[in-house]
Amino acid sequence: MPIDATQPYDENNIFARILRDEIPSRKVYEDEHAMAFHDINPLAPTHILVIPKGPYVSWDDFSATASDGEIAGLVRAVGKIARDAGLVESGYRLLANTGPNSGQEVPHLHVHVFGGRPLGPMLAR
Ligand code: AMP
């Protein structure tokens, strides 16, 4: 069920629980501002989710209210994770679903990193 990206942050969403280590994840990266883990239902050979550690519902919330340090931290983490996954030469795609039309399901900002095969057209027509 897609979420409303303007809703208040839900401290018990599944990614908040992953951040608190209450449920397991296949973690690939962690630093002061960001964490990354493999998507549980991968849509490409590499499908990693990168999340900020702070309580942000969506890209809209994060871009409007996060500190410059948190924003730089997330952006640099995404780049490093893609480099470390060996995706730079072959290429990769980033996706951050935001709100109902996007189909965002988890109400904690996450950037999908897809790679490992040609990813096809940007959107279904
Ligand atoms: P979105 O539709 O952009 O909100 O994407 C949510 C993503 O979270 C989907 O690709 C799910 O497969 C993924 N997901 C949901 N629960 C988990 C989990 N426990 N661990 C890893 N990925 C998850």
Side-chain angles (χ1 to χ4, degrees), residues 14-15 37-41 49 97 103-106 110 112:
I14 195 140
F15 293 170
F37 48 91
H38 290 283
D39 196 291
I40 205 167
N41 182 24
L49 301 173
N97 287 320
Q104 181 181 359
E105 289 188 341
V106 178
H110 45 287
H112 296 257

Side-chain angles (χ1 to χ4, degrees), residues 31-115:
D31 67 17
E32 180 190 355
H33 291 304
M35 176 184 164
F37 48 91
H38 290 283
D39 196 291
I40 205 167
N41 182 24
L43 299 174
T46 300
H47 184 175
I48 294 169
L49 301 173
V50 189
I51 65 174
K53 286 193 165 172
Y56 300 102
V57 174
S58 67
W59 187 272
D60 180 66
D61 182 18
F62 186 68
S63 61
T65 64
S67 69
D68 290 355
E70 289 173 300
I71 291 171
L74 185 74
V75 172
R76 292 218 187 268
V78 168
K80 178 168 172 41
I81 289 155
R83 275 193 298 282
D84 290 352
L87 298 179
V88 174
E89 194 176 332
S90 54
Y92 62 94
R93 180 173 293 162
L94 305 178
L95 178 71
N97 287 320
T98 303
N101 273 355
S102 74
Q104 181 181 359
E105 289 188 341
V106 178
H108 181 114
L109 170 62
H110 45 287
V111 177
H112 296 257
V113 180
F114 298 107

